[in-house]
């Protein structure tokens, strides 16, 4: 029996070069939503002009990220307490191609997210990359963090589909099969999409408005913050309690005290 055609299958494609040319958006405004997978067709069908990223015939790509933090979890704490100088350091692997990057994410002016990347072949911050990370953090006014002391605290994996919005309005990522692993165990999300809209301006884009029409509102969700909170029960209360207890609760499988 053939697989039913979805709206994603019917969309025209865009190449990676075109996507980066029209909407690289390393500095951007993000909105995140947790959406039942069953709403995907209604979501995509309601936004004319969408194109889907296709690479080597694939319309979805496997992503793996390893987050690096201090022993005291300073990166997690800055996000959990919504501090102005939030930061994340991670390595990212595009699992289908083996491409690897070291990434630093910080907060820019007016709440924008600033992501900077460096080609990287290791799972840790090596001596070569140490100075690069330090410079990125200092430029974002994050002080007192020694990149050489960062350790791997959480691993995430998921399947991502990327959409290009019409008329330069930005891009959208659709993540499914989200899984977290740490030294404390594993957690995974079932039939749910994590949808993230990314635009250069603070105003809502066409897919944001379509999500609102379908009854979905932006929610606080950080893959790192949420995953670490789920797998580390003794962490203090945090801003992701609502998303884990309300939006993800019926779709989560958490296995603690299992080696990652």
């Amino acid at each position: 029996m053939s697989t039913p055609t979805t709206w994603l299958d019917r969309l025209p494609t865009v190449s990676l070069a075109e996507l980066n040319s029209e909407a690289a958006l390393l500095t951007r405004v993000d909105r995140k939503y947790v959406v039942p997978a069953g709403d995907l067709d209604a979501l995509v069908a309601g936004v004319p002009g969408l194109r889907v990223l296709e690479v080597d015939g694939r319309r979805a790509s496997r992503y793996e990220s390893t987050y690096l933090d201090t022993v005291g979890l300073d990166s997690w704490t800055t996000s959990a307490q919504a501090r102005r100088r939030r930061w994340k350091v991670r390595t990212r692997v595009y699992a289908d191609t083996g491409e690897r990057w070291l990434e630093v994410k910080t907060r820019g002016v007016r709440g924008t997210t600033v992501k900077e990347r460096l080609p990287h072949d290791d799972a840790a911050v090596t001596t070569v990359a140490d100075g690069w990370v330090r410079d990125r953090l200092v430029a974002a006014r994050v002080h007192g963090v020694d990149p050489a002391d960062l350790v791997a605290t959480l691993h995430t994996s998921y399947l991502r589909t990327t959409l290009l919005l019409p008329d330069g309005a930005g891009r959208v990522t659709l993540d499914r099969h989200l899984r977290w692993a740490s030294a404390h165990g594993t957690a995974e999300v079932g039939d749910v999409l994590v949808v993230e809209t990314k635009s250069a301006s603070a105003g809502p884009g066409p897919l944001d408005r379509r999500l609102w029409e379908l009854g979905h509102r932006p929610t606080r969700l950080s893959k790192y913050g949420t995953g670490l909170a789920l797998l580390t029960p003794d962490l203090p209360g945090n801003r992701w309690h609502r998303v884990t207890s309300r939006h993800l609760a019926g779709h989560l499988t958490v296995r603690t005290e299992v080696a990652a």
Side-chain angles (χ1 to χ4, degrees):
M1 182 180 296
S2 60
T3 303
T5 301
T6 69
W7 268 94
L8 280 179
D9 299 322
R10 302 171 195 165
L11 290 179
T13 61
V14 61
S15 70
L16 182 59
E18 289 177 286
L19 181 76
N20 287 335
S21 174
E22 296 189 34
L25 296 176
L26 294 182
T27 299
R28 68 214 185 195
V29 177
D30 301 331
R31 291 184 179 88
K32 297 178 183 178
Y33 304 81
V34 178
V35 178
D39 284 3
L40 179 58
D41 270 4
L43 174 61
V44 174
V47 184
L50 288 174
R51 288 189 286 167
V52 60
L53 174 64
E54 184 173 289
V55 178
D56 296 331
R58 297 185 304 271
R59 295 192 175 199
S61 298
R62 293 180 298 134
Y63 282 54
E64 297 179 7
S65 298
T66 298
Y67 289 86
L68 307 173
D69 206 339
T70 65
V71 173
L73 301 180
D74 291 341
S75 173
W76 184 90
T77 301
T78 62
S79 293
Q81 299 178 359
R83 295 181 185 173
R84 171 68 180 85
R85 305 301 175 195
R86 282 173 259 174
W87 59 277
K88 292 187 181 75
V89 177
R90 71 187 180 199
T91 60
R92 168 160 287 178
V93 179
Y94 296 88
D96 295 309
T97 64
E99 182 180 347
R100 295 172 178 267
W101 293 85
L102 175 63
E103 300 182 342
V104 175
K105 294 180 73 174
T106 55
R107 301 288 284 182
V109 296
R110 293 182 292 278
T112 56
T113 297
V114 179
K115 182 170 78 171
E116 298 173 274
R117 332 171 68 202
L118 181 73
H120 191 59
D121 292 330
D122 206 320
V125 180
T126 62
T127 302
V128 174
D130 182 283
W132 181 84
V133 172
R134 190 187 310 276
D135 289 346
R136 304 285 77 72
L137 294 177
V138 169
R141 299 183 182 178
V142 176
H143 301 288
V145 177
D146 185 349
D149 292 337
L150 299 180
V151 296
T153 51
L154 187 74
H155 181 78
T156 66
S157 60
Y158 47 91
L159 191 66
R160 169 166 288 184
T161 298
T162 301
L163 306 178
L164 179 65
L165 294 169
D167 303 321
R171 64 164 77 183
V172 177
T173 56
L174 312 171
D175 297 338
R176 48 194 161 137
H177 306 318
L178 177 59
R179 184 179 186 274
W180 296 277
S182 79
H184 297 282
T186 63
E188 53 193 85
V189 179
D191 207 22
V192 166
L193 300 173
V194 176
V195 179
E196 186 170 350
T197 63
K198 311 166 195 281
S199 63
S201 64
L207 202 129
D208 290 293
R209 290 189 286 270
R210 179 58 178 162
L211 283 160
W212 300 349
E213 289 173 0
L214 295 172
H216 304 295
R217 292 293 182 270
T219 187
R220 291 192 179 102
L221 188 141
S222 156
K223 289 187 179 71
Y224 178 51
T226 303
L228 204 63
L230 282 169
L231 293 175
T232 316
D234 57 343
L235 285 177
N238 60 77
R239 63 205 306 253
W240 304 294
H241 176 73
R242 180 176 179 179
V243 73
T244 56
S245 62
R246 178 178 176 182
H247 296 285
L248 298 179
H251 309 277
L252 273 172
T253 301
V254 180
R255 300 179 181 89
T256 55
E257 299 182 358
V258 176

